[in-house]
């Protein structure tokens, strides 16, 4: 009896240790991505400049030569790597929150798509995990569809970071890149655009479901020019993982944020999550709140080479209605009350 009790205690200790190890791996996986998001581009640029001033300058020179030769690759669909997209680290990243991808309709491989992703949140964690990795099974749920997450073009001017982003199927959110993917890359492509962008990130806060969409019509015009179907996507929980200081309109803080947004392309947010060693302290790690990304029903879009403003407005209104219906249909399933209303700004 004593031997059995000792063995049972050892087994309990083993499983406790395994659980702790998995939790630490989850934290590490998320931390590396947060640091990548915040500082990898600048850090790699500074390191490359430093190497140029050392005896190893030839290595940096070779990379810079390669950079010049490879400069336009991000505009031509990038350089996706299934090996990188299937890294085990992304599964730990997924399980930290956890993040889940919900499919509601099939997508035809004979069509191209533009996914409108809402809301932006602080870092677009759900967008990255669901569409730039295979952690939530996007390839299995939408067989034959190649997802391309679109992000700031400035990221692709940063050494090393550009290659890291491209390996996950991330592309610049500019007209050249999107035109190439939708017109010269065959069918079965899905470009994921975080429609609200930096402006939306300034208003994200836990408990608030709002999107910046009323005057965001460029993605609809692109869809019409290429005949790409529009797909509304809502990520429940995206706004819950960080807490942010919200500056009121007209305040000096909001003025600074808007100036950054206008001239640089992103808005500096003052936010915090949890600490590295404790969830009761402040830090850069997001809170482990569930994120559920629901991919809605595709809206069939005709191909119109030069769509009029009236046509753009018409399909934009259909898209807005579809997004609201998607939100209303699934809100109660993912922890929101039936009275919750999606705010469209």
């Amino acid at each position: 009896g004593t031997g059995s009790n000792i063995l049972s205690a050892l087994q309990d200790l083993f499983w406790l240790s395994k659980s702790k190890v998995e939790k630490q791996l989850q934290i590490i996986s998320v931390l590396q991505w947060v640091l990548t998001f915040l500082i990898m581009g600048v850090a790699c640029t500074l390191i490359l400049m430093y190497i140029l001033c050392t005896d190893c300058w030839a290595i940096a020179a070779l990379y810079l030569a390669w950079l010049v030769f490879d400069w336009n690759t991000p505009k031509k669909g990038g350089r996706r790597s299934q090996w990188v997209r299937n890294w085990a680290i992304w599964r730990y990243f997924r399980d930290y929150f956890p993040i889940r991808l919900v499919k509601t309709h099939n997508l035809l491989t004979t069509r191209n798509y533009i996914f409108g992703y809402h809301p932006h949140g602080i870092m677009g964690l759900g967008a990255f995990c669901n569409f730039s990795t295979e952690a939530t099974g996007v390839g299995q749920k939408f067989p034959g569809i190649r997802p391309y997450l679109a992000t700031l073009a400035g990221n692709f001017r940063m050494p090393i970071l550009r290659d890291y982003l491209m390996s996950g199927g991330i592309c610049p959110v500019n007209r050249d890149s999107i035109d190439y993917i939708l017109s010269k890359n065959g069918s079965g492509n899905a470009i994921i655009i975080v429609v609200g962008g930096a402006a939306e990130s300034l208003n994200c806060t836990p408990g608030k479901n709002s999107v910046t969409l009323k005057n965001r019509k460029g993605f609809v015009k692109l869809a019409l020019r290429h005949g790409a179907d529009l797909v509304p996507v809502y990520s429940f929980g995206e706004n819950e993982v960080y807490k942010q200081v919200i500056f009121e309109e007209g305040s000096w803080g909001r003025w600074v944020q808007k100036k950054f947004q206008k001239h640089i392309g992103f808005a500096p947010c003052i936010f915090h999550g949890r600490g590295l060693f404790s969830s009761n302290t402040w830090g850069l790690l997001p809170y482990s709140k569930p994120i559920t990304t629901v991919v809605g029903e595709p809206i069939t879009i005709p191909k119109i080479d030069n769509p009029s403003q009236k046509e753009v407005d018409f399909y934009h209104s259909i898209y807005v209605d579809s997004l609201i219906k998607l939100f209303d249909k699934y809100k109660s399933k993912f922890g929101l009350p039936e009275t919750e209303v999606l705010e469209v700004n």
Side-chain angles (χ1 to χ4, degrees):
T2 303
S4 298
N5 291 336
I6 293 174
L7 182 60
S8 177
L10 288 174
Q11 288 175 337
D12 291 341
L13 182 61
F14 171 76
W15 288 112
L16 180 62
S17 299
K18 182 179 179 181
S19 175
K20 285 184 176 180
V21 168
E22 287 187 348
K23 187 60 180 178
Q24 292 305 313
L25 288 173
Q26 291 170 12
I27 290 173
I28 292 169
S29 69
V30 174
L31 180 62
Q32 68 83 27
W33 190 85
V34 169
L35 294 177
T36 296
F37 182 90
L38 294 175
I39 65 171
M40 183 177 179
V42 174
C44 288
T45 301
L46 293 175
I47 291 171
L48 196 66
M49 292 172 62
Y50 171 76
I51 293 174
L52 279 171
C53 300
T54 68
D55 293 338
C56 299
W57 64 268
I59 297 174
L62 284 173
Y63 178 80
L64 289 173
W66 160 254
L67 194 62
V68 173
F69 174 79
D70 195 55
W71 190 253
N72 288 323
T73 298
K75 299 178 183 179
K76 298 180 178 179
R79 191 166 42 247
R80 158 191 317 259
S81 167
Q82 285 301 114
W83 175 65
V84 173
R85 287 175 60 89
N86 281 287
W87 276 353
I89 194 172
W90 306 133
R91 294 193 291 275
Y92 289 111
F93 183 98
R94 171 200 67 197
D95 293 339
Y96 172 85
F97 296 93
I99 296 173
R100 180 186 172 202
L101 180 66
V102 176
K103 169 186 174 180
T104 63
H105 291 79
N106 292 323
L107 299 181
L108 300 175
T109 57
T110 54
R111 300 285 293 173
N112 283 324
Y113 301 90
I114 293 180
F115 287 19
Y117 184 92
H118 314 269
H120 183 286
I122 295 292
M123 296 185 184
L125 294 160
F128 170 79
C129 184
N130 285 308
F131 301 112
S132 294
T133 80
E134 293 296 329
T136 56
V138 65
Q140 289 73 42
K141 291 176 180 176
F142 300 103
I145 301 297
R146 292 180 298 276
Y148 294 86
L149 176 60
T151 188
L152 289 175
N155 289 324
F156 296 89
R157 302 187 186 102
M158 301 285 189
I160 310 300
L161 176 64
R162 66 189 293 276
D163 302 288
Y164 189 39
L165 295 178
M166 283 194 291
S167 67
I170 301 178
C171 69
V173 61
N174 58 30
R175 181 169 173 176
D176 289 342
S177 176
I178 294 172
D179 282 349
Y180 182 92
I181 293 170
L182 295 180
S183 64
K184 299 179 181 179
N185 202 41
S187 59
N189 302 292
I191 297 180
I192 297 87
I193 299 177
V194 186
V195 178
E200 191 172 85
S201 69
L202 295 179
N203 295 313
C204 72
T205 188
K208 185 175 183 179
N209 288 282
S210 66
V211 296
T212 302
L213 183 57
K214 280 184 180 178
N215 297 316
R216 299 295 175 105
K217 300 179 181 180
F219 73 106
V220 178
K221 189 172 184 178
L222 280 170
L224 286 165
R225 289 180 61 246
H226 293 285
D229 293 347
L230 288 170
V231 182
V233 179
Y234 197 84
S235 209
F236 294 90
E238 184 73 62
N239 285 345
E240 307 299 316
V241 296
Y242 279 110
K243 295 178 181 178
Q244 180 183 190
V245 177
I246 305 292
F247 293 102
E248 297 295 329
E249 290 292 340
S251 66
W252 68 270
R254 183 54 65 102
W255 180 84
V256 170
Q257 289 176 323
K258 286 188 173 182
K259 286 296 182 182
F260 265 83
Q261 178 189 336
K262 180 179 179 180
H263 298 293
I264 302 178
F266 73 92
C269 301
I270 299 177
F271 66 92
H272 73 85
R274 52 155 291 182
L276 182 60
F277 302 106
S278 171
S279 59
N280 297 320
T281 59
W282 288 11
L284 289 177
L285 277 177
Y287 294 105
S288 53
K289 304 287 186 179
I291 298 174
T292 305
T293 303
V294 184
V295 180
E297 181 178 4
I299 303 165
T300 303
I301 302 294
K303 189 177 187 302
I304 305 174
D305 291 333
N306 293 296
S308 65
Q309 189 59 50
K310 185 177 180 180
E311 289 167 326
V312 172
D313 290 344
F314 174 73
Y315 285 101
H316 180 267
S317 66
I318 293 176
Y319 178 86
V320 172
D321 290 342
S322 296
L323 178 64
I324 293 173
K325 288 177 182 177
L326 179 71
F327 177 84
D328 289 340
K329 182 176 180 180
Y330 288 93
K331 61 186 177 183
S332 62
K333 295 181 181 180
F334 303 119
L336 297 178
E338 282 291 345
T339 54
E340 185 72 18
V341 175
L342 178 62
E343 181 183 328
V344 180
N345 300 311

